[in-house]
Amino acid sequence: MRKKTRQSPKSTSHAGRSGSRSTKTQRRRTYLKVFLLILAASIIYLVYLDVKIISKFEGRIWQLPARVYARPLELYEDMPLTTDKLLLELGMLNYSSDTSGVLTQGQYHRSGNSFEIVTRGFEYWDGEEISRSIRVDISNGKITRLEDLSSNESLDLVRFDPAYLTGIFPAHGEDRELLRLEEVPESLIAMLVLVEDRRFYEHHGVDIRSIARAFVANIKAGRTVQGGSTITQQLVKNLFLSPRQNLWRKANEAVMALLLELHYSKHKILETYLNEIYLGQDQERAIHGFGLASLHYFGKPLHQLALDEMALLVGMVKGASYYNPVRHPDRAKQRRDVVLSSVFDHGVISNEQRLRLSANEIKIARHVKRVRYPAYLELVKRQLKNTYNSDDLKSEGLRIFTAFDPYVQQQTEKAVLTVMPQLSADKELQAAAIVVSPNNGEILAIVGDRQPDYPGFNRSLDIRRHIGSLIKPAIYLSALKQSHKYTLASLLDDTRLRVVGDDKQLWQPENYDHQYHGKVLLYEALLKSYNIPAVRLGLDIGLAEISKTIQQLGNHSRLPPYPSMTLGAVDMSPFDVASIYQTFAASGFHSPLRSVIAVLDNEGRALKRYSVDVAREVNPDVVALINHSMLGIAEQGTAKRLSRDLKIKVAGKTGTSDELRDSWFAGFSGDMVAVVWTGYDDNRSTGLTGASGALRIWSKLMSTISSSSFEVLMPDNITMQWVDGESGLLSGKDCENAIELPFIKGSEPKSEAECTEGSSFGWFRNLFGD
């Protein structure tokens, strides 16, 4: 057996100390590992934050919108224009009236019917337009003098900067008017730095003094009354972090602010801040940056703002919603005055300036709460996709110039809003309208809902309904092509008609008045919109021929080959109808309807668009006969109220679908084509004819947007002849029932009617009465 050895107390003590040192060493190693792990994680996180900051700044900080502009206002001598309309146009462009005698860009002075205006410079798709000081004199509804104030020389044309409509964004509902720091007024920069970050040029992203000062102020007040965030920290929060308030976010904010200032200059940081800061909301669009805020709230560029207007924007940085001058003008004014007092305290402005500026009321631009024109902008988006290469449209910073006419749009909306309640108390009754330039097919205005700013279903483009008698001009045009067989003086049969279709179903069309009129002139049948003569004529010339004519007029939809198509049992949208009637208004020249005039990339180069053909598809001789008849419709036919309501001559056609489901009017003056539809979305009866419904809106609209009468362009191959209104035979001018009609040469009647001396147009007047 082994003997057990006993350890001495000294040996035990030594072993205990060794174990203790070993444990401490292990702890140190563990702490070192944890420290190194934390250090490595911190370094990795710092690198992550650093890469995030650099990639954001070196790449695109913002997604630049495609900016959409209206047509530019153009003035020239002898242009039809009233003082009221010019004031309205200037207001829409946010030009301001000034009586100080020294005008700057975007300002005007009025003295009676004379205006002095300083236009804003602008770069268009076809070149740059410089700012001009001009005089405009208006007399008797037109411009009588247009001259350059600096040289007193007459000007052929003056073009104003186009109204900015909105931005079209690939992903986000944000918008900016980007500015270089050199473009920002020094006064605004001074205000901003004094109010938001006095030591901006001294600290390195985080200001310990400001944090301490804010901490003390908040402790004394018992609540948060002051913040210590620098401009750099605010920029970091806006670009990278969530608005949630917690210590982790504040720590991240501080670290990222230090990193941001490590890489970028104060110049770059301040410029980015000025373009990024959130300054309000316009419906779904966020207002970011001082440039856009200036346009949104005051309707003018930032460099044109007065000091009190700059102070208002600077004050809104603290809380854009709380100090919104539209919703909370009193709060906004108080905050503005605080900013003015602060800059006075630091010697930026004098006390006299402070008192004078503080006394100013806040004047927000008239159109701050802009209608977003959803129907028109929807068409712009569609036509961009159809007429431009999709890859080109992916470029950022595009500028899109449209044919949109702010004045015509306003009057179209006003006509719908005014007349619709007069037609029916039922607010479910809907409306749509479209206005087009006859000469080039440019779309000037669109309304897609009885509430024009409602961004829902766009009826002008998407509702497809039976067009009723709007088809009749195309039917008669098809017949008159056969000039050897049909003329305006041809007699048509208006007696009972039964038609058996291919499906063996019996169809018995009736006139609206449920009467039969025997033998009637083709001209009379069109003016009175008789159904039975139109059906007989359509069946005689063939449905295929009618379809061909409608295609030539500009609509390429497939039409149903049924006899009922002769009474407009054809589905079309207001856009489709406008395309057809534009061809009539342009004497047979068809121009594809377009909303987009040009698109420039961010370097000012025009994008290539797919070719758009303008062609004469229809014989001008025949179109002249139809246009003469449609003038008669507005003077003596189903739209005769227009001759009483309007001071100008117009042409057009009423349309009513079966069971009064749809009310239409399509027509044109010398410079406008307009189509109006009213009806229910569920296709129930409106109780309205074309004359009692859509025509009233059309009349209200045309009375405000057009001062140019429509005159039929009579080709050399057309001759005017007097004929008897009952027989269609040649007659004398002074014979009773005589009516003067145009004929293609060689097609005029060869026989003469018996002439009874009497009042010219006696029969014609008796026929249509009042």
Side-chain angles (χ1 to χ4, degrees):
M1 290 182 61
R2 284 188 175 180
K3 293 183 178 179
K4 294 182 180 179
T5 59
R6 181 187 296 176
Q7 293 183 342
S8 67
K10 185 177 180 178
S11 298
T12 303
S13 175
H14 177 74
R17 286 195 299 271
S18 297
S20 176
R21 284 196 298 271
S22 176
T23 300
K24 289 179 179 179
T25 301
Q26 289 178 355
R27 286 176 182 166
R28 291 193 191 101
R29 288 174 179 172
T30 299
Y31 293 153
L32 180 61
K33 288 179 181 179
V34 171
F35 172 76
L36 292 175
L37 186 62
I38 293 174
L39 180 63
S42 299
I43 292 173
I44 292 172
Y45 188 64
L46 283 173
V47 170
Y48 162 75
L49 293 179
D50 201 48
V51 170
K52 185 177 180 180
I53 290 170
I54 293 174
S55 62
K56 185 85 171 182
F57 265 69
E58 296 298 332
R60 299 187 184 116
I61 298 178
W62 306 288
Q63 186 171 28
L64 302 183
R67 308 184 69 74
V68 184
Y69 294 93
R71 64 93 177 98
L73 171 65
E74 295 181 337
L75 303 183
Y76 52 88
E77 283 194 10
D78 293 327
M79 172 183 174
L81 187 70
T82 64
T83 55
D84 288 344
K85 182 177 178 182
L86 180 56
L87 286 170
L88 184 62
E89 290 273 9
L90 292 173
M92 289 179 172
L93 291 174
N94 288 312
Y95 277 51
S96 60
S97 175
D98 188 271
T99 57
S100 65
V102 181
L103 300 180
T104 59
Q105 290 189 36
Q107 292 185 327
Y108 70 90
H109 172 69
R110 178 188 180 184
S111 177
N113 292 333
S114 181
F115 291 78
E116 293 182 1
I117 309 171
V118 180
T119 66
R120 301 186 186 112
F122 194 84
E123 184 180 356
Y124 297 89
W125 65 91
D126 57 356
E128 185 175 359
E129 188 80 16
I130 63 172
S131 171
R132 294 178 181 269
S133 297
I134 64 171
R135 179 189 300 280
V136 183
D137 289 348
I138 298 174
S139 179
N140 296 322
K142 68 177 182 179
I143 296 177
T144 56
R145 181 166 64 163
L146 183 64
E147 66 178 23
D148 189 308
L149 283 174
S150 60
S151 65
N152 293 325
E153 294 181 354
S154 295
L155 297 169
D156 294 329
L157 180 73
V158 173
R159 184 160 57 169
F160 288 68
D161 52 309
Y164 170 66
L165 300 182
T166 190
I168 298 176
F169 311 97
H172 305 294
E174 298 179 357
D175 196 359
R176 290 172 180 80
E177 181 76 17
L178 295 182
L179 297 169
R180 295 189 299 271
L181 190 60
E182 294 77 14
E183 299 171 325
V184 180
E186 292 183 3
S187 299
L188 187 142
I189 294 174
M191 286 184 188
L192 179 67
V193 171
L194 281 173
V195 172
E196 292 297 319
D197 189 358
R198 295 175 194 171
R199 286 172 29 84
F200 173 71
Y201 293 104
E202 301 171 28
H203 63 67
H204 298 289
V206 177
D207 188 359
I208 302 301
R209 292 186 190 177
S210 293
I211 294 173
R213 184 172 60 249
F215 179 77
V216 172
N218 294 338
I219 290 295
K220 288 181 177 179
R223 58 188 177 89
T224 302
V225 295
Q226 194 176 120
S229 294
T230 64
I231 283 177
T232 312
Q233 286 177 277
Q234 292 179 44
L235 178 60
V236 165
K237 179 182 67 176
N238 287 347
L239 285 178
F240 303 103
L241 303 174
S242 72
R244 185 180 302 171
Q245 293 281 0
N246 55 51
L247 290 177
W248 176 250
R249 201 222 70 187
K250 293 295 291 184
N252 272 330
E253 179 186 293
V255 172
M256 294 178 81
L258 293 170
L259 291 172
L260 191 64
E261 295 230 4
L262 179 65
H263 290 293
Y264 299 101
S265 66
K266 294 286 187 179
H267 181 287
K268 178 69 173 178
I269 291 170
L270 184 57
E271 182 179 77
T272 305
Y273 179 88
L274 287 165
N275 285 302
E276 168 60 28
I277 191 67
Y278 174 74
L279 289 170
Q281 198 75 23
D282 178 18
Q283 297 181 27
E284 76 278 5
R285 179 181 70 150
I287 305 298
H288 283 267
F290 283 90
L292 183 61
S294 177
L295 294 175
H296 177 69
Y297 292 110
F298 302 110
K300 51 188 175 182
L302 190 63
H303 68 270
Q304 294 183 11
L305 294 189
L307 287 175
D308 56 315
E309 294 170 330
M310 293 181 191
L312 175 65
L313 295 184
V314 170
M316 289 178 66
V317 170
K318 185 176 182 180
S321 298
Y322 189 79
Y323 296 110
N324 186 301
V326 179
R327 295 192 183 94
H328 310 294
D330 292 338
R331 289 181 194 167
K333 186 177 186 302
Q334 290 174 3
R335 178 61 183 164
R336 180 203 65 183
D337 294 347
V338 168
V339 173
L340 290 173
S341 295
S342 179
V343 294
F344 159 70
D345 291 341
H346 288 81
V348 177
I349 60 175
S350 66
N351 189 47
E352 180 184 354
Q353 283 179 299
R354 178 184 69 84
L355 294 174
R356 176 171 54 82
L357 295 171
S358 296
N360 290 341
E361 293 297 321
I362 293 177
K363 295 181 180 179
I364 300 302
R366 183 186 308 176
H367 301 288
V368 58
K369 194 173 182 180
R370 296 180 296 110
V371 174
R372 301 302 302 276
Y373 315 119
Y376 197 97
L377 293 173
E378 174 64 24
L379 176 63
V380 169
K381 294 175 184 178
R382 295 186 193 185
Q383 293 199 330
L384 283 172
K385 293 179 181 178
N386 293 334
T387 55
Y388 288 89
N389 184 288
S390 59
D391 290 336
D392 290 340
L393 295 177
K394 293 177 182 177
S395 302
E396 292 192 341
L398 297 178
R399 286 187 294 159
I400 300 167
F401 295 92
T402 73
F404 181 86
D405 188 312
Y407 175 75
V408 175
Q409 177 71 29
Q410 184 194 63
Q411 297 305 313
T412 306
E413 294 178 0
K414 185 177 180 180
V416 170
L417 290 169
T418 301
V419 179
M420 284 297 289
Q422 299 172 9
L423 300 182
S424 173
D426 188 348
K427 294 183 179 181
E428 291 187 3
L429 182 67
Q430 274 295 346
I434 181 168
V435 183
V436 175
S437 171
N439 297 325
N440 50 30
E442 292 179 354
I443 302 169
L444 308 179
I446 293 179
V447 168
D449 190 281
R450 68 177 292 156
Q451 296 298 326
D453 59 347
Y454 181 69
F457 183 50
N458 190 345
R459 293 165 187 82
S460 284
L461 305 181
D462 297 326
I463 200 162
R464 302 184 64 80
R465 291 297 181 81
H466 285 186
I467 63 172
S469 295
L470 294 186
I471 201 173
K472 286 176 181 173
I475 295 173
Y476 287 96
L477 181 68
S478 301
L480 292 170
K481 290 178 185 177
Q482 305 175 30
S483 59
H484 63 284
K485 187 175 180 180
Y486 291 106
T487 71
L488 292 179
S490 296
L491 290 175
L492 302 181
D493 186 7
D494 185 13
T495 57
R496 187 183 300 276
L497 175 65
R498 292 180 173 86
V499 179
V500 179
D502 294 338
D503 57 0
K504 307 302 181 183
Q505 294 293 316
L506 178 64
W507 181 47
Q508 300 184 77
E510 292 185 328
N511 291 320
Y512 177 73
D513 61 4
H514 304 292
Q515 301 293 319
Y516 300 103
H517 309 92
K519 295 293 184 179
V520 295
L521 263 62
L522 184 149
Y523 181 70
E524 176 192 348
L526 179 53
L527 262 64
K528 297 296 287 185
S529 199
Y530 293 149
N531 289 338
I532 294 175
V535 175
R536 290 185 185 276
L537 189 62
L539 294 177
D540 182 58
I541 60 179
L543 303 181
E545 183 62 28
I546 297 172
S547 295
K548 178 182 177 181
T549 297
I550 290 175
Q551 288 183 348
Q552 291 172 338
L553 288 169
N555 183 272
H556 300 285
S557 303
R558 186 175 179 272
L559 303 181
Y562 305 124
S564 59
M565 74 174 287
T566 58
L567 294 184
V570 174
D571 288 334
M572 290 188 189
S573 67
F575 181 92
D576 297 332
V577 173
S579 183
I580 291 172
Y581 277 77
Q582 178 274 324
T583 310
F584 282 121
S587 301
F589 279 105
H590 175 67
S591 299
L593 304 191
R594 61 173 182 157
S595 60
V596 179
I597 304 301
V599 179
L600 303 185
D601 64 17
N602 56 13
E603 296 183 2
R605 296 172 300 195
L607 298 187
K608 184 178 179 181
R609 64 181 295 153
Y610 303 135
S611 61
V612 177
D613 298 326
V614 178
R616 169 164 264 164
E617 297 283 357
V618 187
N619 187 325
D621 298 342
V622 185
V623 173
L625 303 183
I626 294 298
N627 285 348
H628 178 85
S629 302
M630 286 198 283
L631 269 176
I633 291 173
E635 291 175 352
Q636 293 284 345
T638 56
K640 62 183 178 182
R641 69 174 294 161
L642 293 176
S643 64
R644 299 195 302 263
D645 294 348
L646 302 179
K647 298 178 181 178
I648 59 174
K649 290 184 177 181
V650 296
K653 185 70 187 73
T654 52
T656 310
S657 66
D658 191 34
E659 298 182 6
L660 305 182
R661 297 175 188 272
D662 303 278
S663 171
W664 292 88
F665 190 81
F668 41 91
S669 65
D671 58 357
M672 298 285 174
V673 180
V675 176
V676 176
W677 167 88
T678 61
Y680 286 104
D681 288 344
D682 61 8
N683 208 22
R684 68 181 185 268
S685 176
T686 64
L688 299 170
T689 64
S692 64
L695 175 62
R696 294 175 60 184
I697 299 175
W698 194 94
S699 177
K700 174 73 173 177
L701 166 62
M702 200 61 69
S703 69
T704 60
I705 66 173
S706 179
S707 59
S708 175
S709 289
F710 177 73
E711 302 291 342
V712 180
L713 180 63
M714 290 295 184
D716 293 338
N717 198 35
I718 295 292
T719 179
M720 300 298 295
Q721 297 290 337
W722 289 90
V723 300
D724 179 68
E726 291 184 355
S727 66
L729 300 180
L730 291 176
S731 180
K733 178 180 179 181
D734 295 324
C735 292
E736 188 176 9
N737 298 331
I739 177 174
E740 190 178 28
L741 295 177
F743 294 87
I744 297 174
K745 287 181 179 179
S747 69
E748 59 268 28
K750 303 300 186 289
S751 302
E752 295 184 359
E754 292 185 7
C755 179
T756 302
E757 295 292 335
S759 175
S760 177
F761 285 97
W763 165 88
F764 191 60
R765 287 174 179 157
N766 291 334
L767 174 65
F768 298 113
D770 288 329

